[in-house]
Amino acid sequence: MALSSTIFKAQLDLSDLNRNHYNSYKLTLARHPSENDQRMMLRLLSFALFADEQLTFTKGISTTEEPDLWIKNYSGEITQWIELGQPDERRIRQANSLAKEVIIVSYGDRSLATWQKQIDASIKRFPKLKIFHISDDELKQLATLADKNMQLHCSIQDNDVFIGNNADNLQISVQEIA
């Protein structure tokens, strides 16, 4: 018997001072059985960082044909491909050929340097690619906000994200590495 996804609901009140984007979003996140709270909350944080009316969560971890989040325009073209983790060069090349902009939000401090060395030479071939990193410690703190029904407020300014609920407030640094 296959395990089913766990559904989480989030009300996200967003103030992105970098992009002058202010909105409230009602989001539904399906946490795959193999996904933990840290990764699910990283998807939510990635949504906040690149929020747009057309940004949607995809099947993500359960399919290799889609990223974790994307924006498709009305003609079906992928304008933004947002991938979590440390994808290999083949995956980055695939994303680069399908989307106008490719964003990777990496995590995993211990493997970051090795992954960067593996893809360093190829990064220059992908001018549409931007890579950001969230530290493991901050990702663990972010996971403490996970709840079946979340009411979150989020402010983004420069490289800092201030996110919280009625009980806790966190400051997370988003490091752009490429």
Side-chain angles (χ1 to χ4, degrees), residues 112-177:
L112 180 63
T114 304
W115 175 69
Q116 281 184 286
K117 283 181 186 176
Q118 290 172 346
I119 65 163
D120 192 41
S122 62
I123 286 177
K124 294 166 186 65
R125 294 191 335 233
F126 305 121
K128 305 178 209 178
L129 177 64
K130 291 182 183 175
I131 303 174
F132 299 89
H133 183 74
I134 308 295
S135 76
D136 289 347
D137 288 339
E138 290 178 323
L139 197 53
K140 285 177 190 170
Q141 289 177 359
L142 183 62
T144 64
L145 298 177
D147 192 29
K148 291 277 199 146
N149 291 297
M150 297 177 265
Q151 297 280 328
L152 300 172
H153 53 270
C154 180
S155 292
I156 301 170
Q157 184 172 15
D158 300 324
N159 295 332
D160 292 318
V161 177
F162 302 91
I163 188 167
N165 55 27
N166 290 335
D168 295 309
N169 291 300
L170 306 174
Q171 179 177 352
I172 296 172
S173 295
V174 180
Q175 181 183 13
E176 187 168 356
I177 57 177

Side-chain angles (χ1 to χ4, degrees), residues 1-156:
M1 184 165 137
L3 296 174
S4 61
S5 295
T6 305
I7 303 300
F8 289 78
K9 302 276 186 177
Q11 170 69 39
L12 177 66
D13 297 322
L14 177 66
S15 298
D16 186 337
L17 302 170
N18 296 341
R19 299 184 302 140
N20 292 321
H21 183 87
Y22 309 95
N23 208 342
S24 291
Y25 295 93
K26 290 185 185 229
L27 305 171
T28 301
L29 293 101
R31 190 183 71 198
H32 191 272
S34 67
E35 185 176 43
N36 59 23
D37 284 345
Q38 290 181 18
R39 191 172 190 292
M40 181 194 67
M41 291 303 289
L42 183 59
R43 283 194 293 132
L44 182 70
L45 178 67
S46 298
F47 184 94
L49 289 169
F50 305 102
D52 184 277
E53 292 301 319
Q54 293 180 286
L55 182 63
T56 58
F57 296 105
T58 66
K59 295 176 187 170
I61 206 167
S62 63
T63 183
T64 59
E65 293 84 35
E66 297 177 357
D68 293 283
L69 298 101
W70 64 13
I71 295 175
K72 282 186 163 184
N73 64 21
Y74 294 113
S75 64
E77 295 173 311
I78 302 168
T79 58
Q80 197 170 58
W81 176 291
I82 302 172
E83 185 88 21
L84 304 184
Q86 297 173 353
D88 60 23
E89 183 185 347
R90 181 198 59 76
R91 180 78 171 167
I92 296 170
R93 193 174 339 107
Q94 173 194 15
N96 199 64
S97 68
L98 294 172
K100 293 182 180 181
E101 181 181 24
V102 178
I103 296 167
I104 298 171
V105 181
S106 74
Y107 60 95
D109 292 346
R110 288 189 294 165
S111 57
L112 180 63
T114 304
W115 175 69
Q116 281 184 286
K117 283 181 186 176
Q118 290 172 346
I119 65 163
D120 192 41
S122 62
I123 286 177
K124 294 166 186 65
R125 294 191 335 233
F126 305 121
K128 305 178 209 178
L129 177 64
K130 291 182 183 175
I131 303 174
F132 299 89
H133 183 74
I134 308 295
S135 76
D136 289 347
D137 288 339
E138 290 178 323
L139 197 53
K140 285 177 190 170
Q141 289 177 359
L142 183 62
T144 64
L145 298 177
D147 192 29
K148 291 277 199 146
N149 291 297
M150 297 177 265
Q151 297 280 328
L152 300 172
H153 53 270
C154 180
S155 292
I156 301 170

